[in-house]
Amino acid sequence: MSTLWRNREFNLLWTSQSLSDLGGAIAQLALPLLVLEQTGSPVRAGVVGTAALVVAHAARLPSGVLADRIDRRRAMLACDAIRLVAFLVLAATVAAGHATLAVIIVVAVLDAACSALFNTVEHAALRSIVPTSQLPDAVARNEVRTYSASLAGPPLGGLLFGITHALPFLGNAVSYLISFAGVALIRRPLQGEREELPVSHAAALAEGLRFVFGNPFLRSVMIIAAPLNFALSGVIFTIVVALQRHGVEPGVIGLTSTIIGVGGLAGAVAAPFLQRWLPLPRLIRFICWAATAVLACSAWLTTSVAAAVPVALAVFLGPTSNAALFGYQAAITPDRLQGRVLSVILLAAMSAAATAPLLSGVFVSLWGPAPTILAFAATVSVAALTATLASGIRTVRPIGEAASA
């Protein structure tokens, strides 16, 4: 059987998106730096980030519908073209000294909306270019590129911003040009033959919701993914607050992100091997219970950056969980429903995580850092119990059998 390394279509997509992810990570740091440089206001810098986050969440379900209703290649090319133009305009206005807050917000919002659609379409198209048996490995390789970009992007963004403020945005525009070229060179169709679709977007979305909530495995995935993302976001934010309260230097606090990112990258590299070690049901149970335990350990380390080490161990398990669950999801979901199913699951998972920093701030004020971390760790037990007891996980079949059913 040929490997992913010999799959021309997947490697074109993976390579181009690795560079696109890097450009996005560079710009993600440079945008708030630009606002702070222009206005000196942390509040306005926060407005840009919040606006992008709100749009990304709002676009999630419509993106899933579009991914299943329109030509996926054209959708990805259109997203890249819009983002390319947006960041070229931003780079030009920054270089000319005319980058207003309104321009920055418009670019951030366009980027968030197009990225939500592109990412949904890309995942939906994965089944069209990767054999079913290799879907978990393909998801794992995508996790590698994501964590690599998150580690390399911010320092590179800071370096480029220091050279000249327009450079990070020009670099991101170039990354979208590379992405456009990579998608355009893919020969294979990115969707199967389309059946007749519901006449309205609302009906199409309702069909996707019925499929998710009617499938025991997909229901379980939502219940597992939401607490895991929620707890990780909450614990990381709590550690940052706790270290700041103890007077730890900002540069040292920043090491927490590096430690956690390294854990995620190592986990992404190890994911294919871990998936071969245990069948999916036992693998997910092990990951969820282990994450519960290691996150709880952080509660006793909140006075030093060592608190990030247990979180890094939990994040190490994350890519394997994503590869197993989302690889199986791609295998059992009909092509015509891929975008909608993915968007429903991701919205449930990411919406929960978005509330974690606010709740962390409230809980730390009321209880202190250690009880707050324990509370977040306890929520992971919901995922662990689901992985242990839910029939949708216990009864999964080998991926080849499930896909042919």
Side-chain angles (χ1 to χ4, degrees):
M1 180 185 294
S2 62
T3 68
L4 281 177
W5 298 105
R6 295 181 180 177
N7 185 324
R8 175 186 180 275
E9 317 301 310
F10 177 77
N11 285 315
L12 269 174
L13 186 61
W14 189 87
T15 302
S16 61
Q17 295 320 301
S18 295
L19 295 172
S20 180
D21 287 352
L22 179 62
I26 288 171
Q28 190 173 21
L29 177 78
L31 277 171
L33 289 179
L34 177 63
V35 177
L36 289 170
E37 181 77 18
Q38 301 273 21
T39 68
S41 171
V43 173
R44 293 184 179 181
V47 165
V48 174
T50 299
L53 186 61
V54 168
V55 168
H57 283 305
R60 184 68 66 186
L61 291 180
S63 295
V65 174
L66 288 173
D68 293 334
R69 291 176 70 91
I70 62 179
D71 183 276
R72 288 174 183 162
R73 186 194 313 276
R74 291 179 182 175
M76 296 167 79
L77 292 174
C79 289
D80 278 337
I82 292 170
R83 295 184 293 183
L84 168 62
V85 172
F87 275 94
L88 283 176
V89 169
L90 180 60
T93 56
V94 170
H98 300 309
T100 64
L101 182 62
V103 170
I104 296 169
I105 290 176
V106 168
V107 170
V109 165
L110 281 174
D111 186 49
C114 290
S115 295
L117 176 57
F118 188 102
N119 295 339
T120 303
V121 172
E122 181 198 353
H123 187 92
L126 201 58
R127 180 171 164 162
S128 298
I129 61 175
V130 173
T132 301
S133 61
Q134 295 177 358
L135 283 170
D137 285 353
V139 176
R141 274 190 58 183
N142 286 344
E143 293 278 317
V144 171
R145 88 179 194 218
T146 299
Y147 280 103
S148 297
S150 69
L151 278 173
L156 185 55
L159 176 65
L160 295 177
F161 190 83
I163 296 173
T164 178
H165 294 351
L167 197 53
F169 310 114
L170 180 60
N172 197 24
V174 171
S175 79
Y176 288 135
L177 178 61
I178 294 171
S179 174
F180 185 97
V183 173
L185 288 171
I186 294 174
R187 298 170 185 158
R188 197 176 302 172
L190 299 182
Q191 68 269 328
E193 291 293 327
R194 294 287 173 85
E195 301 174 10
E196 185 175 350
L197 294 169
V199 293
S200 71
H201 289 280
L205 177 57
E207 183 185 15
L209 288 168
R210 284 194 301 271
F211 187 85
V212 172
F213 287 100
N215 184 290
F217 174 79
L218 297 176
R219 288 200 306 268
S220 299
V221 170
M222 284 198 299
I223 299 172
I224 290 170
L228 282 171
N229 282 281
F230 173 76
L232 284 171
S233 296
V235 170
I236 292 169
F237 189 84
T238 303
I239 289 172
V240 171
V241 172
L243 294 177
Q244 194 275 335
R245 281 185 163 191
H246 282 90
V248 177
E249 291 293 325
V252 177
I253 294 176
L255 285 176
T256 59
S257 295
T258 302
I259 293 170
I260 293 167
V262 169
L265 178 58
V269 172
F273 305 100
L274 292 175
Q275 289 181 90
R276 297 184 184 98
W277 175 48
L278 288 174
L280 189 146
R282 279 192 283 170
L283 178 66
I284 298 303
R285 286 197 294 271
F286 168 76
I287 287 171
C288 291
W289 286 115
T292 303
V294 296
L295 286 177
C297 292
S298 293
W300 284 271
L301 300 169
T302 55
T303 59
S304 81
V305 75
V309 175
V311 181
L313 292 174
V315 173
F316 174 86
L317 300 171
T320 301
S321 175
N322 288 341
L325 293 175
F326 286 99
Y328 198 84
Q329 169 269 313
I332 66 170
T333 303
D335 180 75
R336 64 184 182 84
L337 289 168
Q338 287 283 345
R340 283 167 283 176
V341 168
L342 179 68
S343 66
V344 170
I345 294 172
L346 288 181
L347 181 64
M350 303 314 295
S351 295
T355 66
L358 174 61
L359 291 175
S360 170
V362 173
F363 294 158
V364 168
S365 299
L366 293 174
W367 306 332
T372 298
I373 290 176
L374 290 174
F376 280 116
T379 65
V380 184
S381 64
V382 175
L385 288 170
T386 301
T388 302
L389 302 175
S391 62
I393 299 296
R394 289 188 291 106
T395 60
V396 296
R397 292 170 290 171
I399 197 167
E401 294 179 20
S404 61

CSV table of all heavy atoms in Angstrom, one decimal, residues 142-180:
chain,number,residue,atom,x,y,z
A,142,ASN,N,-1.5,16.7,9.8
A,142,ASN,CA,-2.0,18.1,9.8
A,142,ASN,C,-1.8,18.7,11.2
A,142,ASN,O,-1.5,19.9,11.3
A,142,ASN,CB,-3.4,18.1,9.5
A,142,ASN,CG,-3.7,17.9,8.0
A,142,ASN,OD1,-2.8,18.0,7.2
A,142,ASN,ND2,-4.9,17.6,7.6
A,143,GLU,N,-1.8,17.9,12.3
A,143,GLU,CA,-1.5,18.4,13.6
A,143,GLU,C,-0.1,18.8,13.7
A,143,GLU,O,0.2,19.8,14.4
A,143,GLU,CB,-1.9,17.3,14.6
A,143,GLU,CG,-3.3,16.9,14.8
A,143,GLU,CD,-4.1,17.9,15.6
A,143,GLU,OE1,-3.6,18.2,16.7
A,143,GLU,OE2,-5.2,18.3,15.3
A,144,VAL,N,0.8,18.1,13.1
A,144,VAL,CA,2.2,18.4,13.1
A,144,VAL,C,2.4,19.8,12.5
A,144,VAL,O,3.2,20.6,13.1
A,144,VAL,CB,3.1,17.4,12.3
A,144,VAL,CG1,4.5,17.9,12.2
A,144,VAL,CG2,3.1,16.0,13.0
A,145,ARG,N,1.8,20.1,11.4
A,145,ARG,CA,2.0,21.4,10.8
A,145,ARG,C,1.4,22.5,11.6
A,145,ARG,O,2.0,23.6,11.7
A,145,ARG,CB,1.4,21.4,9.4
A,145,ARG,CG,0.0,21.7,9.3
A,145,ARG,CD,-0.6,21.7,7.9
A,145,ARG,NE,-1.8,22.4,7.9
A,145,ARG,CZ,-2.9,22.1,7.2
A,145,ARG,NH1,-2.9,21.0,6.4
A,145,ARG,NH2,-4.0,22.8,7.3
A,146,THR,N,0.3,22.2,12.3
A,146,THR,CA,-0.3,23.3,13.1
A,146,THR,C,0.5,23.6,14.3
A,146,THR,O,0.8,24.8,14.6
A,146,THR,CB,-1.7,22.8,13.6
A,146,THR,OG1,-2.5,22.5,12.5
A,146,THR,CG2,-2.4,23.8,14.5
A,147,TYR,N,1.0,22.6,15.0
A,147,TYR,CA,1.9,22.9,16.2
A,147,TYR,C,3.2,23.5,15.8
A,147,TYR,O,3.8,24.3,16.5
A,147,TYR,CB,2.1,21.6,17.0
A,147,TYR,CG,0.9,21.3,17.9
A,147,TYR,CD1,0.0,20.3,17.6
A,147,TYR,CD2,0.7,22.0,19.1
A,147,TYR,CE1,-1.1,20.0,18.4
A,147,TYR,CE2,-0.4,21.8,19.9
A,147,TYR,CZ,-1.3,20.8,19.6
A,147,TYR,OH,-2.3,20.5,20.4
A,148,SER,N,3.8,23.0,14.6
A,148,SER,CA,5.0,23.6,14.2
A,148,SER,C,4.9,25.1,13.9
A,148,SER,O,5.7,25.9,14.2
A,148,SER,CB,5.5,22.9,12.9
A,148,SER,OG,5.8,21.6,13.1
A,149,ALA,N,3.8,25.5,13.2
A,149,ALA,CA,3.5,26.9,12.9
A,149,ALA,C,3.3,27.7,14.2
A,149,ALA,O,3.8,28.8,14.3
A,149,ALA,CB,2.3,27.0,12.0
A,150,SER,N,2.6,27.1,15.2
A,150,SER,CA,2.4,27.8,16.4
A,150,SER,C,3.6,28.1,17.2
A,150,SER,O,3.7,29.1,18.0
A,150,SER,CB,1.4,27.1,17.3
A,150,SER,OG,1.9,25.9,17.8
A,151,LEU,N,4.6,27.2,17.0
A,151,LEU,CA,5.9,27.4,17.7
A,151,LEU,C,6.8,28.4,16.9
A,151,LEU,O,7.4,29.3,17.5
A,151,LEU,CB,6.6,26.1,17.8
A,151,LEU,CG,6.2,25.2,19.0
A,151,LEU,CD1,6.9,23.8,18.9
A,151,LEU,CD2,6.6,25.8,20.3
A,152,ALA,N,6.9,28.2,15.6
A,152,ALA,CA,7.8,29.1,14.8
A,152,ALA,C,7.2,30.4,14.5
A,152,ALA,O,8.0,31.4,14.3
A,152,ALA,CB,8.2,28.3,13.5
A,153,GLY,N,5.9,30.5,14.3
A,153,GLY,CA,5.3,31.8,13.9
A,153,GLY,C,5.5,33.0,14.7
A,153,GLY,O,5.9,34.0,14.3
A,154,PRO,N,5.1,32.9,16.0
A,154,PRO,CA,5.2,34.1,16.9
A,154,PRO,C,6.6,34.7,17.0
A,154,PRO,O,6.8,35.9,16.8
A,154,PRO,CB,4.7,33.6,18.2
A,154,PRO,CG,3.8,32.5,17.9
A,154,PRO,CD,4.4,31.8,16.7
A,155,PRO,N,7.7,33.9,17.2
A,155,PRO,CA,9.0,34.6,17.3
A,155,PRO,C,9.4,35.2,15.9
A,155,PRO,O,10.0,36.2,15.8
A,155,PRO,CB,10.0,33.5,17.7
A,155,PRO,CG,9.2,32.2,17.5
A,155,PRO,CD,7.8,32.5,17.7
A,156,LEU,N,9.0,34.5,14.8
A,156,LEU,CA,9.4,35.0,13.5
A,156,LEU,C,8.6,36.2,13.2
A,156,LEU,O,9.1,37.2,12.6
A,156,LEU,CB,9.1,33.9,12.4
A,156,LEU,CG,9.4,34.2,11.0
A,156,LEU,CD1,10.9,34.6,10.9
A,156,LEU,CD2,9.1,33.0,10.1
A,157,GLY,N,7.3,36.2,13.7
A,157,GLY,CA,6.5,37.4,13.5
A,157,GLY,C,7.1,38.6,14.2
A,157,GLY,O,7.1,39.8,13.7
A,158,GLY,N,7.5,38.4,15.4
A,158,GLY,CA,8.2,39.5,16.2
A,158,GLY,C,9.4,40.0,15.5
A,158,GLY,O,9.7,41.2,15.5
A,159,LEU,N,10.2,39.1,15.0
A,159,LEU,CA,11.4,39.4,14.3
A,159,LEU,C,11.1,40.3,13.0
A,159,LEU,O,11.8,41.3,12.8
A,159,LEU,CB,12.2,38.2,13.9
A,159,LEU,CG,13.5,38.4,13.1
A,159,LEU,CD1,14.5,39.2,13.9
A,159,LEU,CD2,14.1,37.0,12.6
A,160,LEU,N,10.2,39.8,12.2
A,160,LEU,CA,9.8,40.6,11.0
A,160,LEU,C,9.2,41.9,11.3
A,160,LEU,O,9.5,42.9,10.6
A,160,LEU,CB,8.9,39.7,10.2
A,160,LEU,CG,9.4,38.4,9.6
A,160,LEU,CD1,8.3,37.7,8.9
A,160,LEU,CD2,10.6,38.7,8.7
A,161,PHE,N,8.4,42.0,12.4
A,161,PHE,CA,7.8,43.2,12.8
A,161,PHE,C,8.9,44.2,13.2
A,161,PHE,O,8.7,45.4,13.0
A,161,PHE,CB,6.8,43.0,13.9
A,161,PHE,CG,5.9,44.2,14.2
A,161,PHE,CD1,4.8,44.4,13.5
A,161,PHE,CD2,6.2,45.0,15.3
A,161,PHE,CE1,4.0,45.5,13.7
A,161,PHE,CE2,5.4,46.1,15.6
A,161,PHE,CZ,4.3,46.4,14.8
A,162,GLY,N,9.9,43.7,13.9
A,162,GLY,CA,11.0,44.6,14.3
A,162,GLY,C,11.8,45.2,13.1
A,162,GLY,O,12.3,46.3,13.2
A,163,ILE,N,11.9,44.4,12.0
A,163,ILE,CA,12.6,44.9,10.9
A,163,ILE,C,11.8,46.0,10.2
A,163,ILE,O,12.4,47.1,10.0
A,163,ILE,CB,12.9,43.7,9.9
A,163,ILE,CG1,13.8,42.7,10.5
A,163,ILE,CG2,13.5,44.3,8.6
A,163,ILE,CD1,13.9,41.4,9.7
A,164,THR,N,10.6,45.8,9.9
A,164,THR,CA,9.7,46.8,9.4
A,164,THR,C,8.3,46.3,9.6
A,164,THR,O,8.0,45.1,9.4
A,164,THR,CB,9.9,47.1,7.9
A,164,THR,OG1,9.0,48.1,7.5
A,164,THR,CG2,9.8,45.9,7.0
A,165,HIS,N,7.4,47.2,10.0
A,165,HIS,CA,6.0,46.8,10.5
A,165,HIS,C,5.2,46.1,9.4
A,165,HIS,O,4.3,45.3,9.6
A,165,HIS,CB,5.3,48.0,11.0
A,165,HIS,CG,5.9,48.5,12.2
A,165,HIS,ND1,6.9,47.9,12.9
A,165,HIS,CD2,5.5,49.7,12.9
A,165,HIS,CE1,7.2,48.7,14.0
A,165,HIS,NE2,6.4,49.7,14.0
A,166,ALA,N,5.5,46.4,8.1
A,166,ALA,CA,4.7,45.8,7.0
A,166,ALA,C,5.1,44.4,6.7
A,166,ALA,O,4.4,43.7,6.0
A,166,ALA,CB,4.8,46.7,5.8
A,167,LEU,N,6.3,44.0,7.1
A,167,LEU,CA,6.9,42.7,6.6
A,167,LEU,C,6.1,41.5,7.0
A,167,LEU,O,5.9,40.6,6.2
A,167,LEU,CB,8.3,42.6,7.1
A,167,LEU,CG,9.2,41.6,6.3
A,167,LEU,CD1,9.2,41.8,4.8
A,167,LEU,CD2,10.7,41.7,6.8
A,168,PRO,N,5.6,41.4,8.2
A,168,PRO,CA,4.8,40.2,8.6
A,168,PRO,C,3.6,40.0,7.7
A,168,PRO,O,3.2,38.9,7.4
A,168,PRO,CB,4.5,40.4,10.1
A,168,PRO,CG,5.4,41.4,10.6
A,168,PRO,CD,5.8,42.3,9.4
A,169,PHE,N,2.9,41.1,7.4
A,169,PHE,CA,1.7,41.1,6.6
A,169,PHE,C,2.0,40.7,5.1
A,169,PHE,O,1.2,40.0,4.5
A,169,PHE,CB,0.9,42.4,6.8
A,169,PHE,CG,0.8,42.8,8.2
A,169,PHE,CD1,1.4,43.9,8.7
A,169,PHE,CD2,0.1,42.0,9.1
A,169,PHE,CE1,1.3,44.3,10.0
A,169,PHE,CE2,0.0,42.3,10.4
A,169,PHE,CZ,0.6,43.5,10.9
A,170,LEU,N,3.1,41.3,4.6
A,170,LEU,CA,3.5,40.9,3.3
A,170,LEU,C,3.9,39.4,3.3
A,170,LEU,O,3.5,38.7,2.3
A,170,LEU,CB,4.7,41.7,2.9
A,170,LEU,CG,5.3,41.4,1.5
A,170,LEU,CD1,4.3,41.7,0.4
A,170,LEU,CD2,6.6,42.3,1.2
A,171,GLY,N,4.5,38.9,4.3
A,171,GLY,CA,4.9,37.5,4.4
A,171,GLY,C,3.6,36.6,4.4
A,171,GLY,O,3.6,35.6,3.8
A,172,ASN,N,2.6,37.0,5.1
A,172,ASN,CA,1.4,36.3,5.2
A,172,ASN,C,0.7,36.3,3.8
A,172,ASN,O,0.1,35.3,3.4
A,172,ASN,CB,0.4,36.8,6.2
A,172,ASN,CG,-0.7,35.9,6.6
A,172,ASN,OD1,-0.5,34.7,6.5
A,172,ASN,ND2,-1.8,36.4,7.1
A,173,ALA,N,0.7,37.4,3.1
A,173,ALA,CA,0.2,37.5,1.8
A,173,ALA,C,0.9,36.5,0.8
A,173,ALA,O,0.2,35.8,0.0
A,173,ALA,CB,0.3,38.9,1.2
A,174,VAL,N,2.2,36.4,0.9
A,174,VAL,CA,3.0,35.4,0.1
A,174,VAL,C,2.5,34.0,0.5
A,174,VAL,O,2.4,33.1,-0.4
A,174,VAL,CB,4.5,35.6,0.3
A,174,VAL,CG1,5.3,34.5,-0.3
A,174,VAL,CG2,4.9,37.0,-0.2
A,175,SER,N,2.3,33.7,1.8
A,175,SER,CA,1.9,32.4,2.2
A,175,SER,C,0.6,32.0,1.5
A,175,SER,O,0.3,30.8,1.2
A,175,SER,CB,1.8,32.3,3.7
A,175,SER,OG,0.7,32.8,4.2
A,176,TYR,N,-0.3,33.0,1.4
A,176,TYR,CA,-1.6,32.7,0.8
A,176,TYR,C,-1.5,32.5,-0.7
A,176,TYR,O,-2.2,31.7,-1.3
A,176,TYR,CB,-2.6,33.8,1.1
A,176,TYR,CG,-3.1,33.8,2.5
A,176,TYR,CD1,-3.2,35.0,3.2
A,176,TYR,CD2,-3.5,32.6,3.1
A,176,TYR,CE1,-3.6,35.0,4.6
A,176,TYR,CE2,-3.9,32.6,4.4
A,176,TYR,CZ,-4.0,33.8,5.2
A,176,TYR,OH,-4.4,33.8,6.4
A,177,LEU,N,-0.5,33.1,-1.3
A,177,LEU,CA,-0.2,32.9,-2.8
A,177,LEU,C,0.3,31.5,-3.0
A,177,LEU,O,-0.1,30.8,-3.9
A,177,LEU,CB,0.8,33.9,-3.2
A,177,LEU,CG,1.3,33.8,-4.7
A,177,LEU,CD1,0.1,34.0,-5.6
A,177,LEU,CD2,2.4,34.8,-5.0
A,178,ILE,N,1.1,31.0,-2.1
A,178,ILE,CA,1.7,29.6,-2.1
A,178,ILE,C,0.5,28.7,-1.9
A,178,ILE,O,0.4,27.6,-2.6
A,178,ILE,CB,2.8,29.4,-1.1
A,178,ILE,CG1,4.0,30.3,-1.4
A,178,ILE,CG2,3.2,28.0,-1.0
A,178,ILE,CD1,5.1,30.3,-0.4
A,179,SER,N,-0.4,29.0,-1.0
A,179,SER,CA,-1.5,28.1,-0.8
A,179,SER,C,-2.4,28.0,-2.0
A,179,SER,O,-2.9,26.9,-2.4
A,179,SER,CB,-2.4,28.6,0.4
A,179,SER,OG,-3.5,27.9,0.6
A,180,PHE,N,-2.6,29.2,-2.6
A,180,PHE,CA,-3.4,29.2,-3.9
A,180,PHE,C,-2.8,28.3,-4.9
A,180,PHE,O,-3.5,27.5,-5.6
A,180,PHE,CB,-3.5,30.7,-4.4
A,180,PHE,CG,-4.4,30.9,-5.6
A,180,PHE,CD1,-5.7,31.3,-5.4
A,180,PHE,CD2,-4.0,30.6,-6.9
A,180,PHE,CE1,-6.5,31.5,-6.5
A,180,PHE,CE2,-4.8,30.8,-7.9
A,180,PHE,CZ,-6.1,31.2,-7.8
